[in-house]
């Protein structure tokens, strides 16, 4: 997967040259902020919130998120790694100026609009060869199937989130947001990122191609549950 982003050195260099740190040009209202690391840290997340909340809660048995019918794990819809690279060892902002301005507007990628609860991994010590499928099975039998969540995600899946944030930056350039007054500019960036969160939530919930965290395990889980319970199809929700 190609690395996508804007290191903190880029806006620093543009600032030193007297250029807008967003578009690399000189113009009225050009952005001249000193970009600093966001310092965001990955947090344990759980429970859906934010936009179209009733539809989100309807994805779960009894509209409870986190659900009580199965053990779930909170998942970032826009991957945390799209905001912060190498978070465990040497964290750094992938899109330095974007993160800086989002943080100024009170944004954090751990917010509840960016969370979806997914059927979790096996319990520790469970040596059943189908252990990872048990919570997924409970969700299917409750009539509320969602893709399973069993740990590290494949790179192609993570790349979808990177592309979405890159698109936010590209949109800022195309629409010349950096020529708007500072507060309007920052609000526009945050608005675009929240729109991307909503798209990522819907694609993750519906197990849309490219948005499946564990394609092979999910396919195996579906085969296991369908064979065990005589099902011909598992239909994911469309939001």
């Amino acid at each position: 997967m190609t690395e996508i982003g804007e290191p903190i050195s880029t806006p620093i260099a543009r600032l030193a040259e007297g250029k807008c740190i967003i578009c690399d040009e000189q113009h009225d209202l050009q952005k001249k902020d000193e970009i600093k690391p966001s310092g965001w840290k990955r947090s344990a997340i759980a429970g859906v919130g934010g936009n179209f909340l009733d539809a989100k809660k309807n994805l779960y048995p009894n509209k409870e998120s986190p659900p009580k019918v199965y053990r779930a794990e909170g998942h970032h819809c826009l991957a945390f790694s799209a905001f912060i690279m190498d978070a465990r060892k040497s964290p750094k902002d992938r899109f330095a100026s974007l993160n800086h301005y989002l943080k100024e507007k009170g944004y954090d990628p751990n917010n509840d609009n960016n969370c979806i609860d997914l059927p979790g991994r096996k319990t520790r010590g469970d040596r059943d060869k189908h252990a990872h499928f048990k919570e997924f099975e409970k969700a299917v039998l409750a009539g509320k199937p969602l893709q399973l969540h069993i740990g590290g995600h494949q790179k192609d899946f993570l790349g979808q989130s990177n592309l979405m944030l890159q698109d936010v930056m590209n949109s800022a350039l195309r629409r010349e947001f950096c020529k708007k007054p500072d507060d309007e500019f920052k609000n526009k960036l945050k608005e675009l990122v929240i729109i991307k969160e909503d798209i990522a939530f819907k694609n993750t919930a519906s197990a849309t191609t490219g948005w499946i965290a564990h394609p092979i395990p999910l396919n195996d889980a579906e085969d296991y549950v369908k064979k065990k319970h005589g099902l011909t199809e598992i239909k994911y929700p469309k939001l």
Side-chain angles (χ1 to χ4, degrees):
M1 179 183 68
T2 302
E3 289 296 328
I4 296 174
E6 171 219 55
I8 203 164
S9 59
T10 300
I12 289 175
R14 290 173 177 169
L15 182 63
E17 294 171 0
K19 297 178 180 179
C20 175
I21 63 174
I22 300 299
C23 70
D24 197 24
E25 297 177 3
Q26 292 180 330
H27 58 80
D28 291 340
L29 298 179
Q30 68 184 47
K31 303 304 173 258
K32 303 177 181 179
D33 303 80
E34 180 185 352
I35 301 301
K36 299 178 180 178
S38 67
W40 284 329
K41 296 182 179 179
R42 184 189 300 273
S43 296
I45 57 175
V48 297
N51 297 335
F52 54 94
L53 184 55
D54 191 62
K56 287 178 176 178
K57 288 191 172 182
N58 197 47
L59 298 175
Y60 303 97
N62 305 313
K63 293 192 172 184
E64 294 177 322
S65 175
K68 294 179 181 177
V69 171
Y70 61 85
R71 182 170 42 77
E73 297 181 9
H75 167 79
H76 292 87
C77 299
L78 283 182
F80 188 79
S81 63
F83 295 93
I84 303 293
M85 298 184 290
D86 202 12
R88 290 185 174 86
K89 296 179 180 179
S90 180
K92 49 188 174 292
D93 294 284
R94 186 181 295 277
F95 296 91
S97 56
L98 176 62
N99 286 3
H100 175 87
Y101 289 122
L102 290 174
K103 187 173 183 179
E104 283 198 349
K105 279 298 175 180
Y107 180 85
D108 188 303
N110 298 299
N111 77 88
D112 60 4
N113 192 64
N114 196 35
C115 175
I116 183 171
D117 288 316
L118 298 176
R121 71 196 78 190
K122 68 180 182 181
T123 56
R124 183 172 296 181
D126 190 340
R127 300 185 181 282
D128 188 314
K129 66 179 181 178
H130 300 123
H132 274 315
F133 305 159
K134 292 181 179 180
E135 304 309 316
F136 172 77
E137 180 181 12
K138 293 174 187 176
V140 172
L141 295 182
K144 301 290 183 178
L146 291 171
Q147 62 171 296
L148 46 72
H149 188 271
I150 58 173
H153 309 123
Q154 68 165 8
K155 288 184 177 181
D156 288 346
F157 169 76
L158 296 174
Q160 297 291 338
S161 294
N162 297 348
L163 288 170
M164 282 203 161
L165 293 189
Q166 183 68 67
D167 188 55
V168 170
M169 296 298 291
N170 292 342
S171 293
L173 288 172
R174 288 195 303 270
R175 304 180 196 182
E176 299 185 318
F177 287 169
C178 54
K179 295 183 179 180
K180 298 179 181 294
D182 285 359
D183 207 50
E184 184 179 355
F185 161 71
K186 295 171 189 177
N187 285 332
K188 285 288 186 182
L189 287 180
K190 183 177 178 181
E191 177 186 324
L192 285 177
V193 170
I194 292 172
I195 289 171
K196 297 300 186 183
E197 285 182 345
D198 292 342
I199 295 171
F201 185 102
K202 293 174 182 179
N203 286 341
T204 302
S206 63
T208 299
T209 300
W211 288 90
I212 301 174
H214 314 282
I216 294 175
L218 180 60
N219 186 65
D220 291 343
E222 290 174 343
D223 288 345
Y224 167 75
V225 172
K226 286 191 288 188
K227 183 176 181 180
K228 181 177 178 180
H229 298 282
L231 303 176
T232 57
E233 184 180 16
I234 294 173
K235 293 185 68 174
Y236 297 98
K238 303 292 183 185
L239 297 179

